[in-house]
Amino acid sequence: MSCTITTSSIKSPITPTWCPGCGNFMILNALQKAFVELELEEANTAIFYGIGCSGNMADFNRAYGFHSLHGRALPNAIGAKLANHNLKIIIVAGDGDFYGEGLNHFISLARGNHDVTIIVHNNSRYSLTTGQSSPTTKKGIKTKSTPMGVIEKPLNPITTALTAEASFVSRGYSTKPSQLIQLIKAGILHPGFALIDVIQLCPSFNKEENHPFFAERIYDLAETDHNSSDKMAAIIKAQETKKIPLGIFYQDKKSVPYHAQLPQIEKQSLIDQWSAEINIKTAMTKFK
Ligand code: SF4
């Protein structure tokens, strides 16, 4: 019998080791609340983690999952989804992990419209390794690995996802938990690739982009006339830099996920087919 995830069942006995003021605390809370509010089943929910401060969340959720290597949470998650497409798959990692080492996988998953929800803790740094620049660090910023300032322009995750054919693209902020819970829920319910790029405060290694910095720039797309079914409008919104839009940039309401296009698993998941085959073989052995 499968149990529904509850507020107490999802919490592990391990206390988070993140720095005081880290945005990861808020993202963890939002993720757990979204699971509880959606009444997800323990047996049918799996979380795949990358490496980094965000990936340490693997210790703080009591849930099925897999703690992978840099960038490799993405292909591992797809393996699980195709083996048992009845699973709800959530992938958690940082900007260095997904937009650096895992970028090729990220684009591949978006193009394929694989049915997974990707939560990116985007603090614009490799923070677990003490603050090197990542693909989303802004040009000119001095970090441990760029003492003269970053030369490259930053990668724009929203534009990248949109142009890679992602069917759900959104941005949250770790200090806006109510909106973040709603975005995570919408991403999980979306049948296909769902990105929630979360601006995450890192008071230890990104002191410039703190809460006052974001508080005067963020605004909610839902409070504008933005049409989230218009991809070109989403791409234009994604280019804004002086102000920072939060919410759903784009959602394809007719999204058909990858696994739903595979006739091989139309009637049964691969894992159920494999179990049935094992049962037949076992029965035949008994008759010999
Ligand atoms: Fe959070 Fe930054 Fe500390 Fe890592 S280094 S736990 S991201 S505040």
Side-chain angles (χ1 to χ4, degrees):
M1 195 187 76
S2 180
C3 299
T4 302
I5 293 173
T6 64
T7 308
S8 54
S9 75
I10 186 70
K11 288 192 195 319
S12 91
I14 301 171
T15 305
T17 48
W18 294 313
C19 312
C22 175
N24 286 333
F25 288 101
M26 307 291 267
I27 302 175
L28 173 67
N29 280 341
L31 180 71
Q32 293 183 340
K33 282 199 173 131
F35 282 5
V36 173
E37 288 181 16
L38 286 177
E39 300 183 345
L40 296 188
E41 291 188 352
E42 281 184 348
N44 286 334
T45 306
I47 314 173
F48 287 71
Y49 306 89
I51 298 296
C53 294
S54 55
N56 289 347
M57 194 191 278
D59 290 337
F60 316 137
N61 282 316
R62 193 183 146 278
Y64 290 109
F66 188 83
H67 200 166
S68 183
L69 299 176
H70 258 141
R72 308 300 181 245
L74 298 156
N76 280 297
I78 292 314
K81 182 71 187 180
L82 292 180
N84 182 4
H85 61 268
N86 299 314
L87 291 175
K88 289 283 185 200
I89 303 265
I90 293 86
I91 317 178
V92 170
D95 48 295
D97 195 304
F98 280 165
Y99 305 142
E101 294 92 343
L103 185 62
N104 199 6
H105 297 306
F106 179 84
I107 290 172
S108 177
L109 263 64
R111 284 177 51 234
N113 200 26
H114 289 276
D115 187 19
V116 294
T117 304
I118 297 183
I119 300 171
V120 185
H121 299 222
N122 187 352
N123 58 24
S124 300
R125 296 289 185 280
Y126 281 95
S127 292
L128 188 70
T129 49
T130 68
Q132 294 80 7
S133 66
S134 82
T136 56
T137 310
K138 293 194 178 67
K139 185 174 172 65
I141 297 287
K142 292 180 180 169
T143 72
K144 202 171 263 187
S145 58
T146 55
M148 309 286 282
V150 173
I151 294 172
E152 300 99 326
K153 289 182 179 174
L155 178 134
N156 183 325
I158 303 296
T159 314
T160 304
L162 287 166
T163 52
E165 304 298 340
S167 57
F168 181 103
V169 182
S170 68
R171 182 192 283 137
Y173 175 36
S174 59
T175 311
K176 285 203 72 159
S178 304
Q179 182 194 45
L180 186 54
I181 294 166
Q182 297 312 316
L183 290 176
I184 294 173
K185 284 167 67 178
I188 291 172
L189 292 174
H190 175 75
F193 179 98
L195 169 68
I196 301 133
D197 179 75
V198 187
I199 299 168
Q200 179 237 315
L201 298 180
C202 173
S204 295
F205 297 110
N206 188 350
K207 295 185 193 300
E208 302 81 17
E209 292 174 310
N210 52 18
H211 180 62
F213 173 90
F214 287 113
E216 63 182 39
R217 288 169 173 81
I218 54 169
Y219 73 93
D220 191 344
L221 282 171
E223 292 169 3
T224 71
D225 61 358
H226 176 63
N227 176 2
S228 62
S229 59
D230 183 340
K231 189 185 274 193
M232 285 313 295
I235 290 172
I236 291 166
K237 277 286 168 201
Q239 303 309 307
E240 289 186 15
T241 49
K242 289 200 172 74
K243 287 285 180 185
I244 304 173
L246 302 178
I248 300 175
F249 284 75
Y250 176 69
Q251 181 170 21
D252 178 359
K253 293 272 170 56
K254 293 183 182 153
S255 166
V256 180
Y258 186 95
H259 69 267
Q261 301 173 59
L262 293 175
Q264 298 91 333
I265 55 173
E266 202 174 297
K267 295 201 175 89
Q268 257 188 327
S269 68
L270 283 180
I271 198 85
D272 286 340
Q273 292 176 43
W274 180 77
S275 301
E277 200 175 310
I278 293 286
N279 286 341
I280 289 167
K281 279 186 182 156
T282 309
M284 285 171 71
T285 311
K286 281 182 186 162
F287 281 114
K288 276 185 185 169

